[in-house]
Amino acid sequence: MLLLMGSMFSIISHAQQSTSYNPQKVEAIKNDVLQSVSGKEKAVQEMVDMVFSFGELGFQEIETSKYLTDILEKNGFTIERGISGIPTAWMAKWGNGSPVIALGSDIDCIPKASQKPGVAYKDPIVESAPGHGEGHNSGQAVIIFAAIAAKEAMIKNKIPGTLLIWPGVAEELLASKAWYVRDGYFKNVDACIFTHVSGNFSSNYGDNGGDGMVSVKFSFDGDAAHAAGAPWRGKSALDAVELMDVGWNFKREHLKPTQRSHYVITDGGDQPNVVPSKASVWYYFREREYKDIKSMYESAINIAKGAAMMTDTKMKYQILGTAWPGHFNKPLAIVMHQNIEKVGLPTWTEADKQLAAAVQKLVDAPKIDEEGNPVDGLASKIDTLKGSVPFSWGGGSDDIADISWNVPTIVLSYPANILGTKGHHWGDAIAMATPIAHKGTLAGAKATALTLVDLFTNPKLLRDSKDYFVNVQTKDTKYIPFISASDPPAIYLNKEIMNQFREKMKPFYYDPSKYKNYLEQLGISYPTLEKK
C-alpha cells in the first residue's frame, strides 16, 4: 500500500510527524524491528557465506551483484543496474516520498587472499585466488536485512519515506563512489548510512584521521628495437617509468610527513631483448587535505612529463580512483551509538574466542591498538563515541568520504572480524564465514534498523544532521571532485585475474540448499587451530 502513496501525501504525512513525534510509539516500533531482524538470522548467515564464496575483485563482482539484486527484487525493491557506467553497480529503491535514506556497503575482495574460514593457518580454498581478506562479504547483509525490517515497520505503521541500497563497487581501488556522486545518485538523499566490517562496534563523527587519495596510471609510449643489435634505435617506455619513479622518490623528501605514496609497475615490457615500447606505472597519492593531495598529483604529472622528455617517449595518464578525506555527521553518529549500546556486542562462544586468539598469534597482532586498547581475543566492550581526531599521521582511505561531503553520512563499524589483524591479508578472511562474522553482522543489522526507525520517525534528527553538515562540516571546506565529467570508471581492472580464477572458484560456491553453512560445505571443524 505504501508503494501506491502519492509523493504529496508522503510529504504531508512527514510534515505531520514533525509535530506529533511520539517517543513511546517509536520505542514500540523499534522493539518490533529488533524482533524482525532477529528472525532473519539464518538469512544473514547465508548471505555472508554466499558472498564470501564468490570472492570477486573490484569491477568484476558479477555473481555478487546478481545474487544481491535478486534478493532485493524478491523483497519489493526496484533495481537500476549499471549505474555510472559500471556493470556491477546498481541502485535499489523502495518506498515513496521524503525522507530519502541511502544505505551502502562494499562488495569487492582482495587479490591472493583466498582462505578457508575457521582455519587458523594459511590454507587457501584456491591457491593464489582472490578472497575476502577484508570482510566486504558481510556488509550488504547488514544493510539489506535492516532495510527489509524497516520496510515492514513502515508498511505496518504507515510511515512514508524512501530506502535506497547501493554497493561499494571496487572499494579497494577507490573507484566508484566519486562517480556515483558525479552522476547525481545522491542529489536528493537526506542521509546516508554506510557500514564496514570491524573488530568492534562503533560510529564516530568528524574527521576520522584517514587520508584522501588519487589513484593514477601513467602510461608511456616509446619505440621498440633489438636490445642488443640496435638499442640506439629504441625509445624505452620502461626507462621513462623508472625515471619517473626515481624522480618521485626524490620528491618525497620535500613532502609533508603525513603523505603516503606507493606504486606498482603494471607493464614493464615483454622480454629483455626487446626495448619496451610501452610501459605503465600505477600510483596512489594520499594526504590529509584536498590541497595537499592535489599538489602531489600535479607534481607527479610534471615528473612524468619530465621522464617522457628525457626518454623521447609520449606520456598519458588516467585517474583510476579517488577519495576525499573523511568527515562524518555528529547528530547521526550520536543516535547510531545509542542504538549500538541498545543492541550490545554479540555473545561469543569458547570456540569463537579460541579462533580469535589463534589468529592474533598467527598474524603477530600488537598487544594494544593505536588508541591504547588491549588486543586480546574478541571485543568485550563497545567503543566509546569519538569526535574528530586532534591530529593524524594519515593512513588508509575510503571513498565513502566523497559521499560524506555531499550528504550527511555516518559509518557503522560492526564487530564481524577479529581485532589486531593486518588488513588486506588472507588472515583477515579467516573469521569472515564463521559464527564470529554471522553474529557480528546480525548485530550490525539491528543497530542499522533501529537507526532507520529514528530517521523515518524523527524529523528533528534530519534537521540537526543537515545543520551540522551545512554549518560545521562544509562551512569552510567545499567538496571539489578530482574527477571530471568525462573521466570513465576503470571497469577493465581485475578482469584478467577473475578470468583466470573464476572457473576454479565456481565449484566452491556456497550451496545453502545442501549445507547449513559454508564451514559444513568445506568440511571444516570449527575452529581448526593447528595442522593435522
Side-chain angles (χ1 to χ4, degrees):
M1 181 171 181
L2 182 61
L3 289 169
L4 301 178
M5 289 181 178
S7 60
M8 182 59 71
F9 178 75
S10 296
I11 293 168
I12 293 171
S13 297
H14 189 58
Q16 290 172 342
Q17 290 174 18
S18 65
T19 58
S20 59
Y21 175 66
N22 185 329
Q24 290 76 28
K25 175 65 173 175
V26 170
E27 193 62 26
I29 294 171
K30 283 187 166 186
N31 289 332
D32 287 347
V33 163
L34 279 178
Q35 290 184 6
S36 175
V37 177
S38 294
K40 296 170 174 53
E41 181 177 5
K42 175 60 178 171
V44 167
Q45 170 262 308
E46 286 188 3
M47 184 174 287
V48 169
D49 287 2
M50 184 68 80
V51 179
F52 182 93
S53 74
F54 292 145
E56 294 176 301
L57 293 169
F59 288 126
Q60 309 306 320
E61 310 99 333
I62 298 167
E63 300 284 0
T64 301
S65 285
K66 182 180 185 304
Y67 168 74
L68 295 172
T69 53
D70 284 351
I71 288 173
L72 285 164
E73 283 185 317
K74 289 174 183 176
N75 282 277
F77 285 77
T78 58
I79 313 294
E80 180 183 354
R81 292 176 169 84
I83 65 172
S84 291
I86 301 171
T88 55
W90 40 270
M91 185 72 78
K93 180 181 178 181
W94 179 88
N96 193 19
S98 177
V100 179
I101 309 301
L103 299 161
S105 200
D106 301 321
I107 59 174
D108 58 328
C109 74
I110 303 290
K112 295 182 173 62
S114 178
Q115 171 65 25
K116 290 178 182 175
V119 176
Y121 51 85
K122 188 172 184 180
D123 192 7
I125 298 171
V126 175
E127 184 65 45
S128 299
H132 275 286
E134 172 125 344
H136 287 174
N137 60 298
S138 56
Q140 285 288 324
V142 170
I143 60 175
I144 287 174
F145 293 107
I148 291 171
K151 169 194 156 188
E152 294 167 354
M154 292 166 75
I155 293 172
K156 178 180 177 181
N157 296 280
K158 297 181 171 60
I159 301 169
T162 303
L163 286 161
L164 300 176
I165 297 178
W166 52 274
V169 168
E171 187 277 335
E172 301 301 346
L173 307 173
L174 301 171
S176 65
K177 300 185 187 80
W179 280 260
Y180 299 165
V181 170
R182 180 194 69 182
D183 296 337
Y185 286 98
F186 290 86
K187 187 175 181 180
N188 298 311
V189 173
D190 294 294
C192 179
I193 299 174
F194 187 72
T195 69
H196 197 281
V197 62
S198 179
N200 208 330
F201 222 172
S202 66
S203 185
N204 300 320
Y205 63 89
D207 175 0
N208 67 354
D211 282 342
M213 188 215 69
V214 172
S215 163
V216 191
K217 183 175 75 171
F218 296 89
S219 298
F220 296 87
D221 191 357
D223 196 16
H226 194 299
W232 53 87
R233 298 179 67 182
K235 299 174 183 177
S236 175
L238 179 58
D239 286 354
V241 163
E242 293 188 292
L243 285 165
M244 179 185 177
D245 293 344
V246 169
W248 184 258
N249 287 326
F250 274 102
K251 178 69 176 177
R252 290 176 196 267
E253 179 185 359
H254 309 288
L255 297 172
K256 293 180 179 179
T258 46
Q259 74 87 24
R260 299 280 197 280
S261 53
H262 22 274
Y263 59 86
V264 292
I265 297 174
T266 56
D267 179 5
D270 298 308
Q271 59 192 57
N273 66 330
V274 179
V275 173
S277 61
K278 295 185 184 298
S280 299
V281 61
W282 182 7
Y283 272 83
Y284 278 17
F285 303 109
R286 305 187 200 246
E287 250 290 3
R288 293 281 292 123
E289 296 183 18
Y290 166 81
K291 62 182 178 61
D292 293 323
I293 304 164
K294 188 170 186 291
S295 177
M296 291 171 70
Y297 176 36
E298 291 172 345
S299 293
I301 293 170
N302 286 334
I303 290 170
K305 288 178 179 177
M309 290 175 65
M310 285 188 284
T311 53
D312 198 20
T313 58
K314 296 177 181 178
M315 185 275 294
K316 61 182 180 181
Y317 59 93
Q318 178 188 0
I319 291 181
L320 302 184
T322 177
W324 257 60
H327 190 116
F328 301 100
N329 193 268
K330 183 175 182 178
L332 296 181
I334 290 172
V335 169
M336 177 63 86
H337 187 77
Q338 292 169 350
N339 289 324
I340 287 170
E341 290 185 323
K342 183 179 180 68
V343 172
L345 285 163
T347 299
W348 308 118
T349 64
E350 282 304 310
D352 299 333
K353 295 174 183 177
Q354 288 171 6
L355 181 67
V359 169
Q360 287 165 347
K361 181 179 179 181
L362 174 72
V363 301
D364 193 23
K367 299 300 181 185
I368 58 172
D369 64 19
E370 293 179 355
E371 296 175 353
N373 301 311
V375 177
D376 184 16
L378 294 163
S380 59
K381 182 180 179 182
I382 291 171
D383 279 346
T384 57
L385 178 66
K386 300 180 183 69
S388 292
V389 298
F391 174 78
S392 172
W393 288 109
S397 312
D398 195 322
D399 52 351
I400 185 58
D402 288 76
I403 293 172
S404 80
W405 284 99
N406 288 271
V407 174
T409 299
I410 53 169
V411 175
L412 168 67
S413 298
Y414 55 93
N417 211 332
I418 295 168
L419 297 166
T421 53
K422 295 182 178 183
H424 294 186
H425 184 259
W426 56 265
D428 289 75
I430 291 172
M432 289 313 303
T434 73
I436 294 171
H438 303 151
K439 288 183 279 193
T441 301
L442 187 69
K446 290 178 179 179
T448 302
L450 293 177
T451 305
L452 284 173
V453 173
D454 288 318
L455 286 165
F456 283 117
T457 60
N458 186 359
K460 184 178 183 299
L461 174 57
L462 287 173
R463 290 198 300 271
D464 290 347
S465 67
K466 184 69 172 180
D467 179 72
Y468 178 89
F469 180 78
V470 172
N471 295 313
V472 179
Q473 180 182 346
T474 63
K475 182 180 179 181
D476 299 316
T477 303
K478 304 302 178 185
Y479 176 76
I480 304 171
F482 282 104
I483 59 171
S484 69
S486 60
D487 285 313
I491 60 175
Y492 62 88
L493 290 173
N494 292 322
K495 187 173 184 179
E496 289 185 9
I497 298 174
M498 286 309 303
N499 285 345
Q500 178 185 355
F501 287 106
R502 192 179 296 279
E503 291 304 315
K504 297 176 183 178
M505 296 167 68
K506 278 184 178 180
F508 299 98
Y509 288 175
Y510 175 45
D511 185 352
S513 69
K514 293 182 179 179
Y515 304 98
K516 65 180 181 181
N517 56 47
Y518 198 43
L519 291 170
E520 181 182 277
Q521 179 169 329
L522 295 176
I524 295 168
S525 176
Y526 180 76
T528 297
L529 306 180
E530 297 178 353
K531 290 183 180 180
K532 296 181 180 178

